[in-house]
Amino acid sequence: MFGRRVERGSGRRTAILAATATVSLFVIVALVAVWSVLYAPGPAARSGESTVVTLPSGAGVAAIAATLKSEGVIRSTDMFKAAAALTGSDRKLRAGEYEVPSKASLRSVIRLLVEGKVVRHYVTLPEGWSSAQAVDILNAQPILTGTIEAVPDEGALWPDTYEISRGETRLSVIRRMSVARDQNLARLWAARSPTTVVRSPEEAMILASIVEKETGIASERPRVAAVFTNRLRAGMRLESDPTIVYGVTRGRPLGRGIRRSELDAPTPWNTYQIDGLPPTPIANPGAEAIAAVLNPPRTDELFFVADGTGGHVFARTFDEHLVNVARWREIERRKAGLPPGAPAPAVPGTVPGVPNATPGAAAPPGVTVPPGARVISIPQTAPTSTPAAAQ
């Protein structure tokens, strides 16, 4: 009897061990199967090193799986749905545009979608670019859709870098630029100084656009703004070359020197020919140019001219300015390889650009004009009243 009990106990242990081994083997097989599904390399990209996939907002797991399968990112929609459910990711998948590496595992694809590592696209409107150029920038973006029927008003867009999404309309980006402009202009206008000569936010944009086009050096903008402020207060014309160009091209690069006929043409923007400000901005100015116009430093400078290094040299008096102009002319001669005193180089039919200067004008009494210098025309009498500072 005792021997039989031993045999029975031994048989139970053997059965338990066999069952345990079977379960362990099943678990191992299951783990290998899960690993092969989740971590094994996925399909190779059909071209290049990755595949761009766009998942629309609101798409469910089944729709996402179908899109991934059609783009060749996964092998099986059922496996994707099962893996998403197994990892608890089925309710965490995010819409957007994704760049999936070639042969990415199913686990990697799911993690990419859960973490929302979407492809990010940006478009930049540089400071001082026109609204027509802004439309060109957006039209060149292949991921955007739709058309812009009309060029926005000049100065209506805010220069900045904007994030854009594949399929977004160009008009919606324009609207974002316009909203940003309104918000930033309101903020800057609220912080204006009593020393500003402009009387409205619209005038601020006009003058700031001219300042923006006159210099690309941020540190110079306040001084340029001060020069134009002083000129307006004194009843002098702004005589800004970029305003001539805008009257010719409406915001696109001229690509050559300014012709004498263009300098003499009475366009609404030609500040050599009109008094005060032009009717509209000539570009979309940035925050620094607007702030400079709204808070100009107190100076008595009235003139500036290029210094040959990309910047400008400023002057308080006409005599100082003429010396600076002559120095700039000499720089032009050296760059062209001409001997000192030779006529400054010029494209036939064009007028070499010197800010705030009018060719052929008569010098004020008692002023000796250096060879090659060009004279600025200054009103003989100042107006009885000057523009009031904005309140």
Side-chain angles (χ1 to χ4, degrees), residues 15 44 50 95 172 191 207:
S50 62
S172 69
L207 187 54

Side-chain angles (χ1 to χ4, degrees), residues 150-167:
V151 174
D153 292 339
E154 204 65 75
L157 308 178
W158 187 251
D160 204 347
T161 296
Y162 297 83
E163 185 170 357
I164 57 176
S165 303
R166 184 176 296 275

Side-chain angles (χ1 to χ4, degrees), residues 28-43:
I28 293 172
V29 170
L31 289 174
V32 170
V34 170
W35 183 91
S36 65
V37 170
L38 288 177
Y39 297 97

Side-chain angles (χ1 to χ4, degrees), residues 52-54 96-97 119 121 142-145 164-169:
V52 176
V53 180
T54 302
E97 181 182 348
V119 178
H121 300 278
I143 70 168
L144 296 177
T145 62
I164 57 176
S165 303
R166 184 176 296 275
E168 185 177 4
T169 66

Side-chain angles (χ1 to χ4, degrees), residues 231 239-241 244 257-260 263-264 272 303-306 318-329 332-333 344-346 350-364 367-378:
R231 280 178 160 255
E239 295 190 342
S240 168
D241 289 0
I244 301 173
I258 298 172
R259 297 193 176 106
R260 179 55 188 264
L263 189 147
D264 294 337
Y272 282 81
F303 311 101
F304 61 92
V305 68
F318 188 74
D319 286 347
E320 290 174 357
H321 180 63
L322 289 179
V323 172
N324 293 335
V325 170
R327 187 179 296 116
W328 167 242
R329 283 287 180 241
E332 287 185 310
R333 293 185 189 97
T350 67
V351 178
V354 176
N356 310 318
T358 300
V367 174
T368 301
V369 181
R374 295 160 66 215
V375 179
I376 293 85
S377 60
I378 302 176

Side-chain angles (χ1 to χ4, degrees), residues 16 60 109 133 146 168 183 221 242 339 341:
I16 291 172
V109 173
Q133 290 175 304
E168 185 177 4
Q183 293 173 342
R221 290 178 185 131

